[in-house]
Amino acid sequence: VVNAAFWNMGENCSACSRLIVHHAVEDALMTRILARLRDWKTGNPLDPANHLGALIDTEHCKKVAHYLEEGSALAGGVMQGAYLPPTIYKAEPDDKRAREEIFGPILSVITVQSLEEAIEIANDTPYGLSASLFTSHARNALTTARAIRAGNVTVNCYGEGDITTPFGGYKQSGFGGRDNGLHAHDQYTELKTI
């Protein structure tokens, strides 16, 4: 587990984002993440210089603002009109930002002591669309990918696969079926036994 970070996500990249990271690599990883965020500009999404656009409307801004706590963010945390820069908080597993669907650029960072604890926290959610894990240990990658209750699990990358691989979630994520791949055909067929 020593060189591992586990990123468990809910419905999509901005729905219920939490980074579950082993304590041994947390400081180095957070230093790199925070350094990278310095280059992220928030503004008109049609301007290629910007990385993040506005939230969708006033009601959504109010909903996302409900999750902000001034002064406690490691990065971001201050709404600027309809714009919220990428915001990072240190969180406990039961923190509302780490458990609820925000649909905003907020990342909750949860520190763990072991692979088993990381898996337990990753699975302790009503959501399970996708998860990504990052590790240099192949055995830990396979063990963790099998144990995480999500419809898609990627290792050392993030993606939904391609058109040939099924895409869909577990638990409250998704609609119970699968997009892409041969499994998508099940949505367009109706079985009958006579």
Side-chain angles (χ1 to χ4, degrees):
V1 177
V2 174
N3 295 321
F6 312 92
W7 183 305
N8 178 248
M9 307 174 95
E11 281 298 312
N12 66 28
C13 295
S14 61
C16 176
S17 295
R18 55 193 186 160
L19 174 66
I20 303 169
V21 62
H22 192 275
H23 74 93
V25 297
E26 180 184 21
D27 290 341
L29 180 61
M30 292 311 300
T31 298
R32 292 178 72 182
I33 289 172
L34 293 171
R36 175 81 177 176
L37 283 185
R38 282 192 278 265
D39 298 333
W40 276 50
K41 291 174 66 179
T42 303
N44 182 343
L46 298 178
D47 181 345
N50 294 324
H51 290 85
L52 195 60
L55 298 178
I56 193 71
D57 60 26
T58 303
E59 287 304 310
H60 187 225
C61 289
K62 287 178 188 174
K63 179 184 182 254
V64 172
H66 172 73
Y67 292 93
L68 302 177
E69 291 178 17
E70 297 222 10
S72 66
L74 300 174
V78 179
M79 189 81 75
Q80 301 159 355
Y83 296 94
L84 177 63
T87 300
I88 300 175
Y89 288 99
K90 185 86 170 113
E92 294 298 320
D94 60 349
D95 185 314
K96 68 181 181 179
R97 287 183 299 256
R99 298 199 58 80
E100 297 178 9
E101 291 185 312
I102 299 172
F103 290 100
I106 297 176
L107 175 67
S108 298
V109 179
I110 301 169
T111 306
V112 296
Q113 303 297 318
S114 69
L115 179 60
E116 294 74 24
E117 183 184 8
I119 293 168
E120 181 180 336
I121 291 169
N123 287 333
D124 184 23
T125 175
Y127 310 111
L129 184 58
S130 62
S132 295
L133 63 104
F134 296 83
T135 182
S136 59
H137 301 279
R139 179 169 287 145
N140 285 350
L142 189 55
T143 300
T144 306
R146 286 180 172 157
I148 290 178
R149 298 278 305 142
N152 295 298
V153 179
T154 59
V155 177
N156 295 337
C157 65
Y158 178 77
E160 296 176 359
D162 62 37
I163 195 70
T164 64
T165 59
F167 178 78
Y170 286 14
K171 303 181 242 182
Q172 292 180 24
S173 294
F175 57 90
R178 293 291 183 262
D179 290 328
N180 303 338
L182 294 175
H183 297 281
H185 293 287
D186 293 342
Q187 299 169 82
Y188 303 101
T189 60
E190 189 172 50
L191 299 177
K192 180 186 285 190
T193 301
I194 299 177

